[in-house]
Amino acid sequence: MPLPPRNVPRTPPFFSSSNPRPPRFHHAFLLLLHHLSRLLPPLAPASSSPPSVMPPRRWKSGDGRRRFLLLLLLCCCLLAFPCHAQLTPTPTTPTISTNATLSHRSSSHSSTSFVGTYGINYGRIADNLPAPTDVVRLLKLAKIRNVKIYDADHRVLDAFRGSNLNLVIAIPNEFLKDMAANPSKAMDWLNENVQPYHPSSRIVGITVGNEVLGGGDAGLAEALVGAVSNVHDALRMLRLDRDIELSTPHSEAVFANSYPPSACVFKDDLMVYLRPLLDFFSKTGAPFYVNAYPFLAYMSDPSHIDINYALFRPNSGIVDPKTNLHYDNMFEAQLDAAYFALEAAGYPGMEVRVAETGWASAGDATEAGANMANAVTYNKNLRKRLFLRKGTPYRPDRVAKAYIFALFNEDLKPGPTTERHYGLFKPDGSVSINIGLKGLLPSSAPPRLPSSSSFFKRVRAWGWIVQYSAALLPCTLIFLALN
């Protein structure tokens, strides 16, 4: 069999792009192996030796310790000097299935209007908030990419230019009747508040009204359907209907009952308004937005609701008697209640997304559970739950997504004390409800110690340096012990 050319190695070189270990460590370990070979006894000759030849060296009775140390040294050398190359797996090229193509031209909104699972509501009913440019900086420090506001303030829209943050703006309730009665009003509003800022401000959605249905204003409820239709027509004429998702958030008041989740249905008297809205959103692919507050449910009935169930803390939970599904937190139960209501109404494929959820850090004496400890627990556990990127017991394939309420404490909000204490941050940009987010100012909370997992991540980042160093130290100590 002919030999390969001299300049072609028979085996891949040990030091290559796939195994870039520096040769200086190679020489060091060869030196150790050389000293090791000198300590080993020579082999006896195959034939009988003449009497003049010295017999081969034998291990003395006291050399058991040396034999053990030599074996340990050899193991350390093999550990630090593996003879196999570390191969980098070749990434596979993802393929796109044509079956995944959506049938509706606007149905891709749900995947582009919300990045990840965590967002926040930026309310501004206050007189002491930081400038919008500072708010953008705060959002980036906190690594929050999805933001929802309750109007279309131009100072905010200007501040979001080039920020790469997803922004959802709103048409307040007071505009709905005019927009429903006159389609030109919808076009005027878009020309004033969307056209000059798109796409630089990354407006990905518009909410039409807020908690309109179930509020007792029949005239406003009637206007909601017409306003949504006219705004959509205006977006289509501006060729923005593919880029901007249209929706409207609902409160829990649209449900006739929500316990157990499988029994949840919409109120009959609201279906005259809900039916055309749900038909429209099912065609555009927009989600059903609901404001879900376990805090409000607990506060309304603290004697019968386990606060641990509301705060994501360990508890026995509930079992839905119809589906036998187990719920260990109220947040998931509220989401599934909305899914059951949509299914009962004939819309089983519609996504449910939380437009608001939160827990007040302070309240009046009559507002049970409103304190800082509970606010920290709920917001921290909710964030962990959302970052799991999983669905609910009834819809495990639908990843839960939510906008937290709220970014700041708003000192001018009317109503009970809780209304002014939902913010994760104080007006000066420092942390109010400490769940691990960074603020504009240092937090008074004690710094967190580095976890063991972060330590091992740093160790793994050193790669071969750690591998050789970890083996070189015991090898050196053993070598010194042998001499």
Side-chain angles (χ1 to χ4, degrees):
M1 178 178 178
L3 295 176
R6 294 177 61 88
N7 60 342
V8 179
R10 298 190 186 191
T11 58
F14 184 81
F15 298 109
S16 63
S17 59
S18 63
N19 197 18
R21 292 186 173 87
R24 60 180 180 275
F25 289 99
H26 173 68
H27 295 156
F29 281 100
L30 286 180
L31 181 62
L32 283 174
L33 291 175
H34 171 68
H35 284 285
L36 176 62
S37 64
R38 295 179 60 186
L39 294 172
L40 293 174
L43 295 175
S47 60
S48 59
S49 302
S52 60
V53 178
M54 292 291 294
R57 179 182 172 187
R58 303 291 182 185
W59 290 103
K60 297 180 180 180
S61 59
D63 282 345
R65 174 174 168 270
R66 173 174 290 191
R67 183 182 303 178
F68 171 76
L69 292 176
L70 285 173
L71 180 61
L72 186 59
L73 175 60
L74 180 61
C75 292
C76 290
C77 291
L78 293 176
L79 172 66
F81 197 65
C83 59
H84 63 277
Q86 295 179 352
L87 300 179
T88 303
T90 304
T92 57
T93 304
T95 58
I96 300 176
S97 172
T98 55
N99 294 332
T101 305
L102 298 175
S103 59
H104 298 294
R105 55 182 294 183
S106 302
S107 57
S108 61
H109 284 156
S110 59
S111 62
T112 58
S113 62
F114 202 107
V115 178
T117 58
Y118 192 86
I120 202 159
N121 287 280
Y122 172 22
R124 303 187 321 283
I125 306 178
D127 59 2
N128 55 0
L129 298 183
T133 52
D134 292 330
V135 173
V136 170
R137 187 161 58 93
L138 172 63
L139 291 167
K140 290 185 175 182
L141 285 173
K143 298 182 179 180
I144 300 175
R145 294 187 59 186
N146 304 291
V147 186
K148 188 161 71 71
I149 61 177
Y150 294 90
D151 54 19
D153 190 289
H154 290 186
R155 294 170 300 174
V156 176
L157 297 179
D158 281 325
F160 273 73
R161 288 186 190 272
S163 66
N164 204 34
L165 302 176
N166 282 2
L167 181 63
V168 175
I169 62 176
I171 300 175
N173 291 355
E174 56 265 27
F175 290 91
L176 300 188
K177 292 183 179 180
D178 285 344
M179 287 189 179
N182 190 347
S184 64
K185 295 290 185 180
M187 179 63 75
D188 292 342
W189 192 91
L190 293 177
N191 283 330
E192 180 182 353
N193 300 295
V194 176
Q195 278 281 72
Y197 302 97
H198 182 79
S200 60
S201 295
R202 202 176 176 86
I203 299 173
V204 297
I206 299 174
T207 57
V208 183
N210 184 45
E211 296 188 342
V212 173
L213 301 183
D217 189 336
L220 193 61
E222 292 177 0
L224 176 62
V225 178
V228 169
S229 178
N230 288 339
V231 172
H232 178 259
D233 290 342
L235 284 173
R236 188 172 53 189
M237 284 187 282
L238 296 173
R239 297 184 178 180
L240 296 176
D241 55 314
R242 289 175 177 262
D243 303 331
I244 298 177
E245 176 187 88
L246 209 57
S247 60
T248 183
H250 303 282
S251 71
E252 296 278 337
V254 298
F255 303 125
N257 59 296
S258 58
Y259 182 84
S262 62
C264 186
V265 293
F266 292 113
K267 291 180 178 178
D268 288 336
D269 60 330
L270 296 180
M271 285 306 297
V272 64
Y273 313 114
L274 277 169
R275 181 71 64 187
L277 286 174
L278 296 176
D279 283 341
F280 169 76
F281 293 138
S282 66
K283 293 176 182 177
T284 63
F288 179 84
Y289 276 95
V290 62
N291 296 339
Y293 283 91
F295 166 61
L296 297 181
Y298 170 77
M299 189 172 61
S300 66
D301 193 9
S303 59
H304 294 94
I305 297 177
D306 183 1
I307 193 169
N308 296 313
Y309 178 64
L311 292 174
F312 297 91
R313 290 200 298 226
N315 64 95
S316 58
I318 67 165
V319 176
D320 191 302
K322 181 179 179 180
T323 62
N324 286 326
L325 293 174
H326 178 262
Y327 295 90
D328 59 10
N329 66 84
M330 188 184 295
F331 178 78
E332 291 183 357
Q334 289 181 332
L335 260 67
D336 271 355
Y339 276 121
F340 276 107
L342 288 170
E343 185 173 306
Y347 306 92
M350 186 173 291
E351 177 191 357
V352 175
R353 194 175 295 173
V354 177
E356 289 182 15
T357 187
W359 198 288
S361 59
D364 299 325
T366 57
E367 296 178 297
N371 58 62
M372 181 60 75
N374 289 341
V376 170
T377 300
Y378 179 79
N379 281 282
K380 183 178 291 186
N381 289 339
L382 173 64
R383 187 165 178 254
K384 291 179 181 178
R385 165 61 182 83
L386 293 174
F387 282 4
L388 292 177
R389 296 176 180 266
K390 68 173 187 176
T392 61
Y394 189 59
R395 288 285 188 266
D397 57 332
R398 287 284 193 178
V399 176
K401 303 176 182 180
Y403 288 96
I404 311 305
F405 189 85
L407 185 59
F408 295 109
N409 289 329
E410 300 173 73
D411 64 335
L412 297 183
K413 289 195 73 173
T417 301
T418 52
E419 290 293 330
R420 296 176 288 280
H421 291 87
Y422 279 94
L424 299 184
F425 295 93
K426 298 176 183 178
D428 62 1
S430 62
V431 173
S432 175
I433 301 175
N434 192 351
I435 60 173
L437 301 179
K438 292 183 178 180
L440 294 177
L441 297 178
S443 172
S444 59
R448 293 185 298 176
L449 295 175
S451 63
S452 58
S453 61
S454 63
F455 169 76
F456 286 112
K457 287 179 181 178
R458 289 195 296 270
V459 169
R460 285 195 298 269
W462 285 91
W464 56 265
I465 297 179
V466 174
Q467 181 184 6
Y468 276 107
S469 300
L472 182 60
L473 179 60
C475 286
T476 304
L477 294 176
I478 295 171
F479 176 73
L480 294 176
L482 292 173
N483 291 284

